[in-house]
Amino acid sequence: MVTISIDGIRTVVPEGTTVLEAARDLGIAIPSLCHNPGLSPYGACRVCIVEVKKGERSTIEASCTLPASDGLVVITNSERVRKNRKVLIELLVSSCPTSKTLQDLAANYGVNRIRFAIKDKNCILCGLCVRYCKEQMQSGGIGFVGRGTSRKVATAFGVTPQECRNCGGCEWICPVCERACTAANLTNGLCGGCQNLMHVETCELCVHCSESVNARGHRVY
Amino acid sequence: MDQMHTINEVKQATEFVTRIISAYSARPESLISILQDIQTQYRYLPEDILRQVATELGLPLIQVYGVATFFRAFSLTPRGKHSISVCLGTACHVRGGRSVMEEMERQLGIKNGETTPDMLFTLESVNCLGACALGPVVVIDGSYHGKVSSGKIKKLLAEYSKETSRSKK
């Protein structure tokens, strides 16, 4: 068992627990895209970043791949984290503006402009489908092909392999295909069409309604 | 007759790959080394051989394919007998690497990344070979040719194509 501190709350968790899991156990919401409890940690989307205090200084780390170690001091919602996260969301949206999951994330974290050139690749390379196919289906029909800017999820030689059982899991788990943003026109890469956010000043009875929490209270959507 | 020849070739290739794989004790960790050996033999990675490697190593085909597409040392399309790498790194660029590339493309009649129809040359660009003082550098089959000018290229290519026709006889 190791003792760590998350947002000033001391908690004892079993060794091998990631900071993301420990925080979620405490009810502290950290957004994430490429993390799934049933799959191995991957650390691709970086949306789950937290600030780790190291004496006077602090570093930004992806909480989904950061194992809890004794004496770790983590802050999940500092100014620095929020600022960094906004840039990450901007980058993700710019490479895939058609995802409702991403547009919601952008809306919830106050991203109101995209400063990067929009190159719709319809994929954020989060690897969920690849890991689902390999780890949950024990199949390995799809994987990453190429590298750098031409990296993409594909099947070998472009043909559906024998291993594929047509389970549809890759489509189900995908943050892009699962919920597509159907906005007719995106302004500046952002949709904003379904930002039906109801601001709740104080949240007296927290039922972990959503994972969109910010410093000013809960936002429910 | 021709058909027989092909069947024989396929059988030979299959045996060759099996030999390589057993030399590495069929360990999946040795995938890259196995692919390197196959690439050295065939100058590219044929699809049926990749399928065989995947089956014999017990790996999903996509994993083998992913590795084969990740590294630039591997090619999925047949490559020429001689591989020509023209350096387009900063130092070579300043010293005229681009015009060397253009001249190569003109002389060979192919674009960067392509292979001549007679399967003699494959032309590609590299970003730095660490021999900046020799720039612009052209590497043909591992031997470095420094301070290459557009004028030198014709001679250089003739040397290699002559060598090939001689060895054929």
Side-chain angles (χ1 to χ4, degrees), chain B residues 12-73:
Chain B
Q12 252 177 22
T14 314
E15 279 168 8
F16 171 73
V17 172
T18 310
R19 250 199 329 278
I20 289 178
I21 292 171
S22 52
Y24 289 99
S25 329
R27 279 196 313 263
E29 309 92 90
S30 311
L31 176 61
I32 292 174
S33 313
I34 292 165
L35 293 184
Q36 272 176 332
D37 287 2
I38 295 166
Q39 169 90 31
T40 315
Q41 173 75 17
Y42 293 98
R43 298 201 300 271
Y44 83 110
L45 302 171
E47 179 175 338
D48 43 351
I49 287 185
L50 284 185
R51 287 183 188 278
Q52 192 195 339
V53 170
T55 318
E56 292 197 21
L57 291 180
L59 290 171
L61 179 63
I62 184 68
Q63 200 170 334
V64 178
Y65 187 75
V67 171
T69 53
F70 185 86
F71 295 104
R72 266 191 75 176

Side-chain angles (χ1 to χ4, degrees), chain A residues 3-221:
Chain A
T3 312
I4 62 168
S5 155
I6 302 174
D7 287 350
I9 307 165
R10 272 164 55 88
T11 177
V12 181
V13 291
E15 224 162 300
T17 314
T18 63
V19 169
L20 182 71
E21 287 163 350
R24 286 192 174 168
D25 279 352
L26 286 174
I28 296 166
I30 298 174
S32 70
L33 285 168
C34 71
H35 177 265
N36 189 296
L39 303 172
S40 59
Y42 196 60
C45 73
R46 317 308 285 183
V47 168
C48 66
I49 51 166
V50 291
E51 194 172 347
V52 179
K53 290 272 174 207
K54 284 175 184 165
E56 296 267 293
R57 297 158 64 149
S58 66
T59 56
I60 296 284
E61 312 246 8
S63 62
C64 68
T65 50
L66 180 67
S69 59
D70 240 334
L72 200 71
V73 180
V74 176
I75 296 164
T76 65
N77 204 0
S78 65
E79 184 61 42
R80 194 172 160 205
V81 168
R82 283 200 298 274
K83 221 171 150 184
N84 279 285
R85 188 173 285 149
K86 264 175 136 172
V87 178
L88 289 167
I89 295 171
E90 269 183 68
L91 281 163
L92 289 168
V93 172
S94 74
S95 68
C96 186
T98 47
S99 161
K100 181 167 168 9
T101 313
L102 277 176
Q103 293 287 355
D104 281 353
L105 204 63
N108 284 328
Y109 286 87
V111 175
N112 44 27
R113 59 181 176 152
I114 306 291
R115 288 166 291 179
F116 305 102
I118 289 164
K119 289 183 188 151
D120 190 359
K121 292 185 176 161
N122 214 19
C123 179
I124 54 166
L125 299 173
C126 67
L128 276 174
C129 54
V130 174
R131 278 175 292 149
Y132 185 87
C133 191
K134 194 176 171 194
E135 294 167 18
Q136 287 294 330
M137 298 310 292
Q138 268 87 46
S139 167
I142 49 172
F144 289 111
V145 171
R147 71 163 159 183
T149 47
S150 58
R151 192 168 189 242
K152 60 178 187 203
V153 174
T155 54
F157 301 106
V159 281
T160 310
Q162 289 171 329
E163 291 99 329
C164 178
R165 278 168 251 161
N166 285 319
C167 70
C170 43
E171 214 177 314
W172 170 75
I173 206 160
C174 177
V176 183
C177 346
E178 181 207 11
R179 295 198 296 167
C181 181
T182 50
N185 45 0
L186 302 173
T187 40
N188 206 0
L190 285 167
C191 156
C194 41
Q195 286 183 39
N196 48 346
L197 303 169
M198 187 168 65
H199 193 86
V200 182
E201 284 303 333
T202 49
C203 184
E204 283 173 15
L205 184 73
C206 182
V207 290
H208 307 304
C209 45
S210 74
E211 51 179 40
S212 50
V213 186
N214 62 29
R216 278 154 284 152
H218 285 202
R219 273 164 183 254
V220 186
Y221 65 96

Side-chain angles (χ1 to χ4, degrees), chain B residues 7 9 39 42 66 78-79 85 87 95-96 102 119-120 122 128 132 143 154-155 159:
Chain B
I7 290 169
E9 255 179 19
Q39 169 90 31
Y42 293 98
R79 289 165 59 98
S85 309
C87 182
R95 289 160 179 249
E102 278 164 14
M119 300 305 286
L120 212 51
T122 294
C128 187
C132 303
S143 56
K154 200 166 184 178
K155 228 175 106 190
E159 222 171 89

